[in-house]
Amino acid sequence: MSESSATRLNVFKTYKLYVGGKFPRSESGRVYEVTDSKGKWLANAPLSSRKDARDAVVAARKAFGGWSGATAYNRGQILYRIAEMLEGRREQFVREVGEAEGLSKSKAAAVVDAAIDRWVWYAGWTDKISQIVGGANPVAGPFFNLSTPEPTGVVTVVAPQESSFLGLVSVIAPVIATGNTAVVIASEKAPLPALSLGEVLATSDLPGGVVNILSGKAGEMGPHLASHQDVNAIDLAGADAALAKELEIAAADNLKRVLRPQPVDDWNADPGTSRMTAFLETKTVWHPTGSLGAGGSSY
């Protein structure tokens, strides 16, 4: 039989986690079946373990110093580069999003285009948000008093279960735009576009470890991440009421910032600045003027 007449087998994609800029399988070796809206098998996704979650936190913490120390302008360039790379793989994501969310090709294309535009939108905010939430404060006395925003640190993000791709981008982009690093628990039902997004991030100049993407059960990984002493904040966007309550209680162990899920999240709406300011801290600097000298203090 000639090669041309032989039946060719498709090369199925092996989906992996994205941790520390690399693509490991789950350390447990577990996978679970992902199906489309009609129950048709699409792929096997890694079923992340608590060890994978710990590895992701280590990677996020290691990346935090360099990412938070980068200039806001540079972070904006990198977020824009993510949009560029996603645009270049648009057809792949239209197919994956359509299969994952049960959308027609035209509707899936609209979702992908909105996600690309969302990266561009946040890229434009990286060097502007400090002007909104910081500034000079009026004080009585011979002092300059300046408030400046600083990133909170490592943020765990429970990605939305529905509207998974646009929702995913809408919760990751504001976290990293402001200099934080992220450990993301992808939608359990539709993780494949999220795992493919890791491939885009890896080729977009984003330093390894700034975003780490895990697939599997939020109910298994979430409590461990919420109580992890090296996680500084958690976004509960994709958690149901019972899980959100459990994670919020666990997060109280080390006084994490918690962004509670909204009753209705319209990911197509103007995102505003609330998701950026949710994971910013304010540093206030007092600097004496006139005869008091050149010293200063901050708190």
Side-chain angles (χ1 to χ4, degrees), residues 16-204:
K16 298 180 181 180
L17 308 177
Y18 183 57
V19 177
K22 299 179 181 179
F23 297 93
R25 294 178 170 86
S26 171
E27 61 84 27
S28 67
R30 301 179 301 170
V31 297
Y32 70 101
E33 291 188 354
V34 178
T35 60
D36 64 14
S37 60
K38 298 180 180 179
K40 178 184 175 183
W41 179 86
L42 295 175
N44 290 334
L47 186 59
S48 302
S49 68
R50 294 199 304 174
K51 174 63 163 57
D52 296 317
R54 290 196 298 270
D55 290 344
V57 173
V58 170
R61 176 57 62 191
K62 183 177 180 181
F64 176 71
W67 183 243
S68 62
T71 65
Y73 177 73
N74 181 238
R75 288 199 298 268
Q77 287 180 307
I78 292 174
L79 264 66
Y80 187 85
R81 176 66 172 165
I82 294 172
E84 286 183 349
M85 300 304 292
L86 189 54
E87 182 82 38
R89 299 177 64 166
R90 180 178 180 275
E91 292 305 312
Q92 172 198 340
F93 278 88
V94 168
R95 174 179 55 80
E96 289 191 343
V97 169
E99 291 174 341
E101 302 185 30
L103 302 175
S104 66
K105 185 175 181 180
S106 61
K107 290 183 178 179
V111 168
V112 173
D113 288 345
I116 294 169
D117 293 346
R118 189 62 42 92
W119 281 114
V120 174
W121 193 87
Y122 278 109
W125 269 104
T126 57
D127 58 355
K128 300 174 182 67
I129 189 66
S130 62
Q131 311 306 313
I132 301 298
V133 298
N137 306 310
V139 295
F143 298 97
F144 291 121
N145 182 259
L146 306 174
S147 292
T148 57
E150 293 187 344
T152 296
V154 175
V155 181
T156 290
V157 177
V158 183
Q161 296 298 303
E162 307 298 333
S163 301
S164 59
F165 191 61
L166 179 56
L168 175 79
V169 171
S170 298
V171 294
I172 294 177
V175 169
I176 65 173
T178 47
N180 298 287
T181 55
V183 176
V184 182
I185 303 176
S187 165
E188 180 180 352
K189 177 183 175 183
L192 303 186
L195 297 177
S196 290
L197 180 64
E199 299 169 6
V200 171
L201 301 178
T203 54
S204 65

